[in-house]
Amino acid sequence: MNAATLTILKRTTLFAGLDEASLATLSDFCEIQDFQDGQKAISENNDVGRQDLFLLIGGSVSVGAKFVPLETAAEASLQGIDNELYGEIAFLLSTKRSAGITCKGRTRFLKINGEKLNAFMLDNPTIGFLLMDRIAKVLAQRVIKLTDQLKSQKMFDF
């Protein structure tokens, strides 16, 4: 058990309120990662560690995705969906990353091994349900924010 990681887990929305023993177990498959300004914490379409989740614990990021599968395509900014949790779509669907995360200034993440987290949730279904509910709420909030972004851009004239 890593005391620093345990403290971080206690402060996150995703793991808030879990018992000490569960948090201690979770801390064993987490690692702190530091990034510099401009570094990619997550690359779009990358499938390395695709089930891993990332909790933003310091700094800020921009989120972007290419909606055309060309190297020269511009990246659309999805900055309005900032949250502490990233990588949840690939975690839930076991797919490649749907967007990229670029660090703005010095940034720190807590990377959670997704395969071990899945196994933990299967072994602890009550906690698993709670965590999946919290992840679903993050996604729902992001859908609302993206919908509001689209409305404000007046992309459609119906």
Side-chain angles (χ1 to χ4, degrees):
M1 175 181 71
N2 181 324
T5 302
L6 187 60
T7 300
I8 292 166
L9 288 173
K10 288 179 183 178
R11 294 180 183 163
T12 65
T13 304
L14 183 61
F15 299 110
L18 295 185
D19 63 271
E20 196 77 20
S22 295
L23 290 170
T25 300
L26 288 164
S27 73
D28 288 339
F29 40 89
C30 296
E31 75 175 276
I32 295 172
Q33 293 187 333
D34 292 304
F35 295 90
Q36 300 301 314
D37 184 45
Q39 270 190 292
K40 287 270 191 188
I42 297 175
S43 296
E44 183 180 6
N45 291 317
N46 186 352
D47 64 356
V48 175
R50 67 178 168 209
Q51 286 189 317
D52 295 342
L53 288 173
F54 293 80
L55 294 174
L56 181 64
I57 56 175
S60 62
V61 298
S62 63
V63 181
K66 292 182 179 181
F67 294 105
V68 180
L70 301 172
E71 288 298 319
T72 57
E75 189 172 87
S77 173
L78 306 172
Q79 292 179 348
I81 63 171
D82 281 347
N83 197 294
E84 70 178 359
L85 179 66
Y86 296 94
E88 74 287 345
I89 293 173
F91 173 76
L92 292 170
L93 301 177
S94 294
T95 61
K96 291 182 179 182
R97 302 290 179 181
S98 60
I101 305 293
T102 303
C103 298
K104 294 168 32 177
R106 293 183 66 195
T107 304
R108 177 172 272 191
F109 282 95
L110 185 67
K111 180 181 170 185
I112 304 164
N113 182 302
E115 290 179 17
K116 291 180 179 180
L117 178 59
N118 267 323
F120 174 82
M121 292 189 317
L122 286 171
D123 291 341
N124 301 276
T126 302
I127 294 173
F129 179 84
L130 176 69
L131 296 178
M132 292 302 268
D133 179 67
R134 290 176 179 176
I135 292 169
K137 287 177 181 171
V138 167
L139 284 169
Q141 290 168 348
R142 289 187 177 168
V143 168
I144 290 168
K145 288 180 182 179
L146 285 171
T147 301
D148 289 345
Q149 279 182 344
L150 288 173
K151 286 179 186 177
S152 70
Q153 293 180 9
K154 298 185 193 287
M155 296 179 69
F156 307 102
D157 187 19
F158 297 111

